[in-house]
Amino acid sequence: MKRILLILIIISGYLFAEPEGFCGTEGTMVNNSIPTNGTIKIYFIFAQFKNDDRDPSNTNWVKDTLPSWAPDFVNSSITGSYPYNNLSKFYNDMSDNNFNVVGEVYDQLVITEKEESEYNSIGRVNREIIEAIDSEVDFSEYDLLSGTTFAKDGFVDLIFIVYRNIDSLVGWSGYAQLILDSLIVTDDIDGITGDTLKIKGNTILTGGAVLRGGIEGKDYLTLTTAHELGHYLFGAGHIDYISRLGIMSGGPAWNSGAGMHSWEKHHLGWLNYTDISPTSDSEITNIADYLDNNNAYRLQLSSNEWFVIENHQQANFFDKAGQTGDNPQSEKGVYIYHIRYPNSYPPNIDVECADGNYDFSFNNQTYPNGKITRGAPNPDGEDEMSYDILYNYYPNGRTDRLSCYKPLYDEDAVWGDDEDAFDTTFNNVFSPKSNPPSTNTSNNDFSLEVTGDSNGVYTMKFYVIDPYAGSPSKPQGLSVENETEIDFGDNYTATSQLEWFSNDEPDLDYYKVYKATTTGSAPSLNEYAFVCTTDANTIDLPITDFGDNKKIYYRITAVDTEGKESVKSEGNWDWAPPTPPVNIQKLTQNNHPKIEWDPKTNVTNPTYSVYRMKRTDFPGMWERIATIPGNSYVDLQIDLPDQQYANMDNVYYKVIVIRNGGLSSDFSVSINYRIEGSGWVIKKEGNEEAIPDVYALSQNYPNPFNPTTLIKYQLPEAVNVTIKLYDMLGREVKEFINDTQEAGYYELNFDGSDLSSGTYIYRITAGDFVDSKKLILLK
């Protein structure tokens, strides 16, 4: 008996496919051409060109063999059990058992008689492949449909041909039509009319489909085939900008990993929305998983404008919403869609991405975190969002798209990537002032707040009477710039400069700043510690964290007048300033001072700046004399004996390290070269036989410290000395010394165990000599 054939030609891609990397749709049909309920039968042929040499041993489809997964690609009959990822299971799951796809796979690989370059059209190849198996297949069993009615009409309904690879004959990912260079007349008889059964193509949504990417494997083909068959259900055209979140996406169908979008299922009669009142506040607890329970939620603002909510917890195999890379569980949560013209196909669907500060590019400029960097070529000269840029450069708005597969907001919002969901920690508020906002053409202000636990058991709260009754929205666009400065005295400052987009909620009260430091991967949310509050959307914070391979991370939250706090903003970071060079050694080379220090092996591309102070300039005129990549320096400007320095008996040096990016350390401890007679000798600090010539107070070391540090000072004569410690508000904290001391070198060991972390000032008064320095206690 001849096999019955419903043939779909699969090249790989779409029903009404598009060339890879091209945006657009084809065709004019807007109505389905097959029934949306019942059982559809498809016959599959797997084919290969004679000269197909692409990756011959690829395990997805080894050259010259029928792929191992082909027999299970579609079920031959309706059953209660399907392979986990075949076409039958996909449509059974998506339709909630309303629409079944069955069929048969030709059990041999069909190899063309000629090489691809010898054919002038794919229609010729398709015809030869079908004619080659005509004698083995009874096509009459695949004449089941007449339009959207289950009735015979003398034509084979659907043939899908799957090509292992096509290089040039097809520039599309796939076609939702059977392309033939002429009508095929089989030797099978239509059992109703008695006429010869025919196979036709070349008209919209007839005959089957052609796909070309079989070498990509079963998962790829399942989704591309589902997409092509979807055109028979929906008509020509694509739903733009919902890639990965709907089978009829204008993006690559194989990326449409979330199964079918709820609008698609509702349009086909496979799902009924749970409606939310647009006029009163409401709360929905324990919202169900969208695909596993065939349930989604709808806020109808008008007949032409909806907001739709789906909870994706990936209970279904085909639910890979937001999947990126090798982490299929990364984007569980609530997805929100703004739908306009929902009663036509295709509708206008914007994905309201929870990552409203995605990195994007425009006009050859990159905007990290969605924030337009100061100095970028934006028309208004201020920090703005992509909406302003879009409409200033493209007055036709959505007519002139900037990106094929990323969604585009019509509202004043930063681009997202449609891969991030709303949840209780990443982003939980969708409001008129959030990013993206709940802006709509019906001018109805509302907010949606997601609460619950971190395991996907969510409650949705809708606020329409007062859209700001819930928590504030997540702050966006956080940027961090760390700066260090050293003046020619002895002062060092390190500051983190934070800036973010202002929250515009009318009940906003203030912001909280959180910080975490790490030498490894990015910190988790619970590793951030509260730092301070601020009323503004900018703040400069003194840096108290130092380290050669340490990063400082920040996050921001917004707090309203009722004390409700938003989720933390996305983190941003910068390197911490490095610690000063250590183990400074004093050497001589050819009667010149030479200094060496330990290299900074944990600092990226370090450079070192050497500072010098001559006795005649002391105390306070440090000059930078060199910036070098190595960890030693010879001062060729100082050469003895030299009459120029006959009256100078001390030269002082200290060093800083600068990491790639410009952050510098504080000064190292200073060292001095002392002249005796006609040459240089090295005297260690603290040598009791040496009498200093000048007063000096050194920088404590280490700094920062915990809990002890060393302070050195020197006195050229006997004098009354006081050394005191103050906090940053000028309040006296501790008195170390208040006594007369003899001339000499002194060391003061300070234990800060009884003090809080922070920056302090220590000050010496010795006769007319007064000097102060900062020390940082870091616990």
Side-chain angles (χ1 to χ4, degrees):
M1 179 166 184
K2 298 177 73 175
R3 294 190 179 117
I4 299 177
L5 181 64
L6 175 55
I7 303 180
L8 269 167
I9 300 183
I10 303 178
I11 297 179
S12 127
Y14 309 77
L15 176 65
F16 273 40
E18 306 174 348
E20 293 179 336
F22 178 81
C23 286
T25 56
E26 293 187 17
T28 57
M29 290 192 65
V30 295
N31 298 314
N32 60 294
S33 60
I34 61 174
T36 58
N37 290 275
T39 301
I40 301 296
K41 295 180 68 176
I42 303 173
Y43 197 87
F44 291 89
I45 306 171
F46 287 79
Q48 173 192 302
F49 281 100
K50 177 181 179 181
N51 65 323
D52 181 2
D53 291 325
R54 180 185 171 189
D55 197 3
S57 59
N58 188 308
T59 55
N60 287 328
W61 185 337
V62 178
K63 180 184 176 182
D64 297 333
T65 65
L66 187 72
S68 59
W69 45 267
D72 293 329
F73 188 71
V74 66
N75 274 47
S76 60
S77 61
I78 300 173
T79 178
S81 176
Y82 297 96
Y84 72 96
N85 68 335
N86 78 346
L87 187 66
S88 300
K89 178 172 177 58
F90 178 88
Y91 272 107
N92 180 265
D93 287 2
M94 296 306 108
S95 70
D96 199 26
N97 300 313
N98 287 293
F99 182 78
N100 293 285
V101 177
V102 298
E104 188 176 355
V105 176
Y106 185 66
D107 60 8
Q108 300 177 47
L109 176 67
V110 180
I111 301 177
T112 63
E113 295 181 0
K114 295 182 290 186
E115 297 182 358
E116 182 180 351
S117 60
E118 298 180 70
Y119 292 97
N120 58 13
S121 73
I122 193 66
R124 171 71 179 277
V125 186
N126 293 339
R127 180 170 55 81
E128 288 186 4
I129 288 173
I130 294 173
E131 289 176 343
I133 66 171
D134 183 16
S135 61
E136 300 181 48
V137 179
D138 184 354
F139 291 106
S140 63
E141 293 190 27
Y142 284 82
D143 177 14
L144 304 174
L145 304 174
S146 178
T148 58
T149 303
F150 285 98
K152 294 181 179 294
D153 62 359
F155 290 94
V156 174
D157 301 313
L158 297 172
I159 298 174
F160 278 42
I161 302 181
V162 184
Y163 283 90
R164 183 179 186 272
N165 180 55
I166 296 179
D167 289 328
S168 59
L169 283 180
V170 173
W172 310 83
S173 298
Y175 288 92
Q177 59 178 309
L178 181 59
I179 304 170
L180 299 173
D181 64 349
S182 63
L183 185 73
I184 297 177
V185 179
T186 72
D187 57 1
D188 300 312
I189 303 300
D190 183 340
I192 300 297
T193 65
D195 294 332
T196 303
L197 192 66
K198 301 176 180 62
I199 301 173
K200 66 179 178 179
N202 301 335
T203 58
I204 295 175
L205 303 177
T206 59
V210 179
L211 297 98
R212 78 174 189 191
I215 197 172
E216 303 297 337
K218 184 178 182 180
D219 290 353
Y220 172 97
L221 257 298
T222 298
L223 295 175
T224 53
T225 305
H227 176 94
E228 300 305 336
L229 183 59
H231 278 291
Y232 283 84
L233 296 167
F234 291 95
H238 299 106
I239 306 175
D240 286 339
Y241 307 104
I242 57 167
S243 69
R244 305 176 193 246
L245 295 168
I247 197 61
M248 299 314 296
S249 162
W254 51 91
N255 283 340
S256 302
M260 294 184 74
H261 190 275
S262 62
W263 180 92
E264 296 171 326
K265 298 173 69 172
H266 177 267
H267 188 71
L268 298 176
W270 299 347
L271 174 146
N272 291 318
Y273 283 114
T274 298
D275 283 313
I276 300 161
S277 171
T279 59
S280 61
D281 294 346
S282 58
E283 180 176 296
I284 303 174
T285 61
N286 298 325
I287 62 174
D289 177 83
Y290 158 57
L291 283 182
D292 199 42
N293 292 275
N294 198 40
N295 189 28
Y297 304 87
R298 176 178 61 179
L299 179 66
Q300 294 191 76
L301 300 181
S302 72
S303 61
N304 285 323
E305 187 169 22
W306 302 350
F307 281 89
V308 166
I309 301 97
E310 300 171 1
N311 180 20
H312 288 266
Q313 293 302 311
Q314 300 178 349
N316 185 279
F317 167 80
F318 294 105
D319 190 350
K320 299 179 179 65
Q323 177 174 337
T324 56
D326 298 324
N327 188 5
Q329 305 299 315
S330 62
E331 297 306 334
K332 294 180 180 180
V334 172
Y335 287 79
I336 303 172
Y337 309 92
H338 186 192
I339 306 180
R340 280 159 294 176
Y341 312 110
N343 299 309
S344 61
Y345 180 79
N348 186 321
I349 301 180
D350 284 332
V351 185
E352 304 292 1
C353 309
D355 63 339
N357 60 347
Y358 180 71
D359 292 358
F360 67 92
S361 297
F362 177 77
N363 198 30
N364 297 320
Q365 297 290 322
T366 298
Y367 304 106
N369 296 323
K371 185 173 183 178
I372 298 168
T373 306
R374 288 186 293 273
N378 58 32
D380 297 338
E382 299 177 355
D383 292 345
E384 297 178 8
M385 302 180 188
S386 60
Y387 167 88
D388 304 293
I389 292 295
L390 169 67
Y391 278 83
N392 277 301
Y393 280 88
Y394 290 87
N396 292 327
R398 294 181 66 92
T399 302
D400 297 308
R401 304 287 183 157
L402 303 185
S403 173
C404 287
Y405 300 136
K406 288 182 181 177
L408 201 61
Y409 296 119
D410 287 336
E411 303 84 14
D412 188 6
V414 175
W415 272 319
D417 63 3
D418 78 9
E419 296 168 1
D420 289 281
F422 288 82
D423 60 24
T424 58
T425 57
F426 178 73
N427 195 357
N428 72 326
V429 171
F430 180 59
S431 76
K433 301 300 182 182
S434 63
N435 188 16
S438 58
T439 309
N440 56 83
T441 59
S442 301
N443 296 318
N444 290 335
D445 286 343
F446 73 93
S447 293
L448 182 158
E449 182 175 0
V450 179
T451 63
D453 63 32
S454 59
N455 296 315
V457 182
Y458 297 140
T459 292
M460 294 192 302
K461 297 180 180 179
F462 289 86
Y463 301 98
V464 296
I465 297 175
D466 176 6
Y468 307 109
S471 301
S473 62
K474 170 184 177 179
Q476 299 282 355
L478 173 63
S479 64
V480 176
E481 293 183 6
N482 286 354
E483 290 191 358
T484 56
E485 293 184 1
I486 295 180
D487 63 23
F488 289 117
D490 202 10
N491 296 315
Y492 171 82
T493 59
T495 306
S496 290
Q497 299 177 338
L498 280 61
E499 183 177 0
W500 57 93
F501 295 146
S502 296
N503 280 55
D504 293 330
E505 287 95 342
D507 60 345
L508 178 71
D509 195 5
Y510 59 90
Y511 300 96
K512 286 185 176 181
V513 181
Y514 294 83
K515 182 180 72 171
T517 57
T518 178
T519 56
S521 59
S524 61
L525 283 175
N526 60 13
E527 293 181 80
Y528 283 82
F530 170 73
V531 176
C532 64
T533 65
T534 176
D535 294 334
N537 65 318
T538 62
I539 190 171
D540 293 347
L541 298 173
I543 296 176
T544 58
D545 299 300
F546 298 85
D548 294 343
N549 192 28
K550 184 181 290 185
K551 297 175 183 177
I552 306 177
Y553 285 80
Y554 294 93
R555 290 181 186 259
I556 309 297
T557 63
V559 182
D560 66 16
T561 54
E562 294 183 354
K564 295 180 180 178
E565 185 175 1
S566 73
V567 298
K568 292 182 177 67
S569 70
E570 292 184 56
N572 210 332
W573 66 275
D574 205 343
W575 291 104
T579 57
V582 297
N583 294 330
I584 311 297
Q585 301 180 41
K586 296 181 287 187
L587 306 170
T588 59
Q589 180 173 317
N590 298 326
N591 209 28
H592 297 290
K594 178 181 180 181
I595 57 176
E596 290 184 352
W597 55 90
D598 290 351
K600 287 287 188 177
T601 58
N602 289 330
V603 174
T604 304
N605 298 325
T607 57
Y608 304 89
S609 288
V610 180
Y611 287 76
R612 179 181 64 197
M613 182 171 61
K614 304 171 186 177
R615 176 181 179 273
T616 54
D617 298 327
F618 192 88
M621 293 303 294
W622 288 97
E623 60 174 333
R624 187 175 60 214
I625 59 174
T627 299
I628 56 177
N631 62 311
S632 66
Y633 177 73
V634 179
D635 188 357
L636 297 177
Q637 295 183 24
I638 304 297
D639 188 5
L640 292 177
D642 189 325
Q643 189 63 32
Q644 178 182 356
Y645 300 105
N647 296 321
M648 183 186 71
D649 60 356
N650 277 286
V651 177
Y652 297 82
Y653 297 91
K654 53 188 176 182
V655 184
I656 65 172
V657 63
I658 305 170
R659 71 169 303 115
N660 185 27
L663 288 178
S664 66
S665 72
D666 198 352
F667 286 115
S668 69
V669 296
S670 63
I671 59 173
N672 72 293
Y673 285 78
R674 181 175 177 83
I675 305 167
E676 288 187 356
S678 61
W680 290 90
V681 296
I682 301 171
K683 291 291 184 181
K684 296 181 180 179
E685 292 188 9
N687 189 329
E688 295 180 358
E689 297 178 358
I691 301 299
D693 293 320
V694 294
Y695 292 96
L697 176 67
S698 69
Q699 182 68 52
N700 66 298
Y701 183 81
N703 191 37
F705 67 97
N706 180 25
T708 61
T709 188
L710 181 67
I711 299 172
K712 295 182 180 181
Y713 61 99
Q714 61 190 50
L715 307 173
E717 58 188 351
V719 69
N720 185 72
V721 178
T722 61
I723 302 177
K724 296 183 178 182
L725 185 71
Y726 301 86
D727 64 18
M728 293 302 290
L729 296 178
R731 297 174 297 197
E732 182 177 325
V733 176
K734 185 184 292 288
E735 183 180 81
F736 297 114
I737 296 171
N738 187 351
D739 200 1
T740 299
Q741 293 185 324
E742 298 294 326
Y745 296 88
Y746 291 85
E747 295 181 353
L748 172 65
N749 287 299
F750 168 42
D751 188 337
S753 298
D754 59 341
L755 297 180
S756 301
S757 295
T759 302
Y760 297 86
I761 303 292
Y762 61 98
R763 176 176 296 170
I764 184 172
T765 302
D768 294 331
F769 175 72
V770 179
D771 196 7
S772 301
K773 303 207 183 292
K774 293 180 181 179
L775 58 77
I776 300 172
L777 175 60
L778 181 61
K779 294 186 175 180

